[in-house]
């Protein structure tokens, strides 16, 4: 997949300097991903291809763990009230994959800020920076799902008012507009919430622009 980034609180310098190796691993892992899509269950577009959060999340995990990132790292004391674990950690960098509803972005930011200010050690190193991964707006998804462009606007506003100081890199996952794009197409046991795979196949899709500049991409599975 293709990626775009937006940096806040000096994240650009951090990921070119002390955490350049960690970022290189993340960029390679995300760039190697094949787009995962599934059937929509929304009444006005049942069966249409939409973003597969489960499939994309699992693919990201496979790539990052292979590069030495630790997954589902327990938060523990003194910040256990913020949740059970973070998605991924390596050498002081926390990485959260955020394919849920948009309010969860603020939770990710708050946790990273407290870890950073509290010098919390995760996987043996104090937290020094955060990476948050979101899908691009071009991909249709479940209702209220966060997209990268929205995340950039939200974090920009929060930084403008000095609410956060932790170095944060937002990463957006995009795909080319092209007649044949490699994808993984999955049908689950039931369209809503199921993780049981009924069918999964590697195929291609035609991805084209929508009818207006603000619309989602038009995706047709082969």
């Amino acid at each position: 997949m293709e990626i775009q980034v937006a940096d806040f609180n000096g994240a650009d310098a951090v990921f070119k300097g002390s955490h350049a190796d960690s970022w290189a691993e993340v960029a390679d892992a995300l760039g190697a991903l094949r787009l995962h899509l599934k059937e929509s269950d929304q009444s006005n577009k049942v069966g249409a291809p939409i973003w597969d959060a489960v499939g994309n999340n699992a693919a990201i995990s496979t790539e990052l763990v292979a590069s030495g990132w630790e997954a589902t790292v327990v938060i523990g004391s003194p910040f256990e009230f913020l949740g059970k674990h973070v998605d991924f950690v390596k050498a002081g960098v926390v990485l959260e994959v955020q394919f849920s509803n948009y309010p969860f972005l603020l939770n990710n930011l708050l946790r990273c800020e407290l870890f950073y200010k509290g010098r919390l050690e995760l996987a043996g190193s104090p937290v020094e920076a955060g990476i948050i991964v979101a899908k691009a707006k071009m991909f249709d998804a479940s209702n209220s799902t966060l997209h990268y462009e929205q995340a950039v606007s939200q974090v920009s506003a929060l930084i403008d008012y000095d609410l956060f100081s932790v170095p944060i890199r937002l990463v957006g996952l995009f795909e080319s507009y092209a007649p044949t794009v490699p994808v993984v197409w999955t049908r689950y046991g039931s369209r809503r919430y199921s993780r049981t795979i009924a069918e999964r196949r590697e195929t291609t899709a035609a991805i084209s622009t929508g009818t207006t500049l603000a619309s989602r991409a038009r995706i047709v599975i082969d």
Side-chain angles (χ1 to χ4, degrees):
M1 296 186 72
E2 299 176 1
I3 64 174
Q4 293 183 19
V5 303
D7 290 322
F8 304 90
N9 294 332
D12 179 60
V14 168
F15 291 115
K16 285 181 178 176
S18 57
H19 294 292
D21 290 344
S22 294
W23 168 246
E25 292 168 354
V26 173
D28 288 346
L30 298 179
L33 290 178
R34 179 171 291 197
L35 173 62
H36 284 247
L37 299 168
K38 69 172 186 175
E39 295 179 326
S40 172
D41 67 342
Q42 292 178 251
S43 59
N44 60 337
K45 50 187 173 185
V46 171
I50 64 170
W51 181 263
D52 179 4
V54 172
N56 284 297
N57 215 329
I60 290 171
S61 181
T62 297
E63 294 288 340
L64 288 178
V65 170
S67 296
W69 287 71
E70 294 191 37
T72 58
V73 176
V74 175
I75 294 171
S77 179
F79 295 122
E80 57 262 79
F81 60 89
L82 293 170
K84 293 182 179 179
H85 64 263
V86 296
D87 289 343
F88 303 96
V89 175
K90 187 173 185 181
V93 178
V94 172
L95 188 152
E96 300 277 15
V97 179
Q98 188 48 262
F99 298 150
S100 299
N101 293 350
Y102 64 87
F104 285 97
L105 173 64
L106 297 179
N107 177 266
N108 291 155
L109 288 169
L110 179 60
R111 297 201 312 180
C112 281
E113 179 73 3
L114 291 178
F115 298 160
Y116 176 68
K117 286 185 174 178
R119 300 294 291 170
L120 178 70
E121 287 197 6
L122 290 175
S125 298
V127 173
E128 297 179 340
I131 298 172
I132 298 175
V133 179
K135 71 171 189 65
K137 186 179 180 180
M138 66 181 289
F139 301 116
D140 204 355
S142 302
N143 289 335
S144 301
T145 300
L146 177 76
H147 57 77
Y148 169 73
E149 294 87 342
Q150 181 184 38
V152 171
S153 296
Q154 288 190 11
V155 178
S156 295
L158 294 168
I159 299 300
D160 284 345
Y161 287 92
D162 298 321
L163 292 178
F164 292 95
S165 58
V166 58
I168 287 288
R169 170 164 284 182
L170 292 181
V171 184
L173 299 179
F174 292 75
E175 192 50 273
S176 300
Y177 292 104
T180 49
V181 174
V183 301
V184 178
W185 174 246
T186 301
R187 286 192 309 104
Y188 291 93
S190 61
R191 291 191 180 99
R192 185 175 292 258
Y193 307 130
S194 176
R195 293 174 179 264
T196 303
I197 297 171
E199 175 193 4
R200 171 166 284 170
R201 60 188 174 95
E202 294 186 1
T203 182
T204 59
I207 302 180
S208 57
T209 56
T211 56
T212 68
L213 290 176
S215 61
R216 311 288 188 181
R218 183 172 183 269
I219 301 177
V220 178
I221 300 292
D222 289 339

